[in-house]
Amino acid sequence: HTMSGRETKGKDKRRKEEEDVGEEEAEEHDKYSRFFYKPHFLLALSTGTVGLFHAAFYTRETEFKVNLKRGLLGVCCAFLLYCSLPSPVPRSVFRRPHPLFWRLIAGASILYLMVLTFILFQTVHDARTLVTYVDPCRNGLHTCSQATMIGKDQGVSMPLPERSYADDCRVMTGGPSCKWWADRSKGEEPCFANLQDAIQDEFVVAHVLGWWGKALIIRHAGAAWINSIVFEFVEMSFEHWMPNFAECWWDHIILDVMTCNLLGIILGHLFMHWLSVKQYRWMHISEIPTPEGKFLRVLGQFSPESWDTYHWDALESPKRLLVVILTYACILLCDFNAFALKFILWIPPRNPLNTYRLVLWWLLGMCAVREFYEYSTNRQVKRLGHHAWLGGMILITETMIWVKFGIAVNEFSKPFPFSVVISWSIALFLFVVWFVYHFHLVPNRLKLKKT
């Protein structure tokens, strides 16, 4: 479903006016100084990456006071780098429920980037200690159990116990008198105890909700499905680093790919279809006669004014395919960072900080992917966008944190298994062969036939 012609033209006109601001300023200067008046989002992203890389791997760690000063200086530099992005202040690609809401999301993303930048300048021990200061369980924002809390007994002085889902991969575990679905409170024996425990795990619901949210970000059922399959291969490839990735074969294939992930993607796709076919009647609240109508109108304010699906068209050209692969890689890295950060900072899986991060990334990701999609597919859009820039910087900073701390404590030093290296090497080789064949050999044959 696409928007109506009037809505599309109006949105393109507004975007074009915003894009032309920097171009008009650049045209007022000569050819030697024009470069400095054009928007350079990618240059700013590269500058920030180089600065963070130097801070992470080429700055010698010292005492806490010195690292504190360096962290504050890094926060100031990161904030000034964001302020150097072209004006005017960006208008979000979304207007519902209110533009103020999306400006607050951008502000929260900036704060999150500042916090990550500060943590990057600390030692791994100090970072684990600082995380306890922002733990919602210790600040009275949440009522948590001792196992959920980031504390000295579990989060600072000793590593957290990582749960493995591959200790017992038997499918049939019960005896002759077992039941297909047993009530263990009554002493019943389940026939599929491991499978029943996995289904009753609370993270099953998190899987479904997570892929429902990713379906709204990617807005393409096939692309989300491929992304979910690739992430299962990523889990199998890194389970020697993080035991939490170790799962049974039926957990990877049946529960994750074929059940939880697929169900979340289908629900997200149906929700997108409902949004695309829904007729919106945006009357002013004062014009609605009944209280029930006014209440429904307020609820309707939290649904989008219009809804677009994304046409990635990955096989259209080599450039478009590389854009799609880059988008996939960023989403996969964002998911991987969630596990790596809580593993290296000793944050319990059920701690609310993990949920806060996922919700912020979901809201920021919808804006960032939309801006990146427009930048890569719409020729009228000539700059990346503030939300996409923020998403890229946050993703890079998160990655550098767990890489730096992992090296410091020798956590990610185990080499990849030979089977993993061979599998990915074969996959990369086959992809290169297919890429050359599809985008070079086939078009050349068609040209020869025409001539």
Side-chain angles (χ1 to χ4, degrees), residues 64 123-134 150 155-156 345:
F64 176 71
T123 63
V124 60
H125 175 76
D126 293 338
R128 289 167 178 169
T129 304
L130 290 172
V131 171
T132 62
Y133 298 152
V134 295
I150 307 175
V156 176
L345 295 176

Side-chain angles (χ1 to χ4, degrees), residues 205-426:
V205 179
H207 268 75
V208 176
L209 292 177
W211 283 102
W212 174 83
K214 289 174 189 172
L216 298 184
I217 293 176
I218 302 175
R219 301 194 186 185
H220 192 284
W225 173 250
I226 294 174
N227 195 270
S228 69
I229 296 175
V230 174
F231 186 73
E232 296 301 321
F233 285 104
V234 171
E235 285 186 333
M236 291 185 288
S237 302
F238 288 91
E239 63 183 23
H240 64 289
W241 282 0
M242 286 176 281
N244 192 241
F245 278 165
E247 297 177 352
C248 299
W249 65 268
W250 45 265
D251 201 342
H252 280 296
I253 299 175
I254 299 177
L255 286 185
D256 287 348
V257 175
M258 302 299 297
T259 305
C260 297
N261 300 352
L262 181 60
L263 178 61
I265 294 172
I266 292 176
L267 292 177
H269 188 69
L270 293 176
F271 185 71
M272 288 187 296
H273 179 72
W274 175 78
L275 290 176
S276 63
V277 301
K278 181 181 178 181
Q279 294 183 357
Y280 297 98
R281 304 182 184 277
W282 296 108
M283 299 172 59
H284 293 291
I285 296 180
S286 59
E287 299 176 357
I288 302 176
T290 61
E292 294 81 3
K294 296 180 185 294
F295 176 73
L296 294 176
R297 172 62 181 85
V298 172
L299 292 181
Q301 184 71 19
F302 291 90
S303 60
E305 186 177 16
S306 60
W307 188 265
D308 290 336
T309 55
Y310 295 160
H311 302 281
W312 293 100
D313 298 329
L315 302 182
E316 181 180 287
S317 64
K319 178 182 177 181
R320 182 64 66 86
L321 179 61
L322 295 178
V323 166
V324 173
I325 293 177
L326 178 60
T327 306
Y328 282 6
C330 291
I331 295 176
L332 292 172
L333 183 59
C334 180
D335 293 336
F336 185 85
N337 286 351
F339 292 91
L341 287 175
K342 72 179 181 66
F343 177 79
I344 202 66
L345 295 176
W346 294 348
I347 302 175
R350 294 176 176 84
N351 190 273
L353 283 179
N354 297 315
T355 305
Y356 293 166
R357 176 191 175 273
L358 292 176
V359 173
L360 178 62
W361 256 118
W362 177 56
L363 296 171
L364 175 63
M366 284 194 292
C367 296
V369 172
R370 177 57 183 263
E371 289 181 350
F372 184 72
Y373 175 79
E374 291 290 337
Y375 175 75
S376 59
T377 60
N378 190 348
R379 295 182 179 179
Q380 294 183 350
V381 179
K382 300 179 182 180
R383 65 187 189 187
L384 185 61
H386 289 69
H387 295 92
W389 187 90
L390 277 174
M393 283 301 302
I394 291 174
L395 198 63
I396 293 171
T397 311
E398 286 182 343
T399 305
M400 288 188 180
I401 286 176
W402 66 260
V403 171
K404 174 188 175 180
F405 293 163
I407 294 175
V409 296
N410 200 27
E411 192 65 60
F412 302 124
S413 59
K414 294 182 180 179
F416 285 91
F418 181 75
S419 58
V420 173
V421 176
I422 291 297
S423 300
W424 283 104
S425 299
I426 294 175

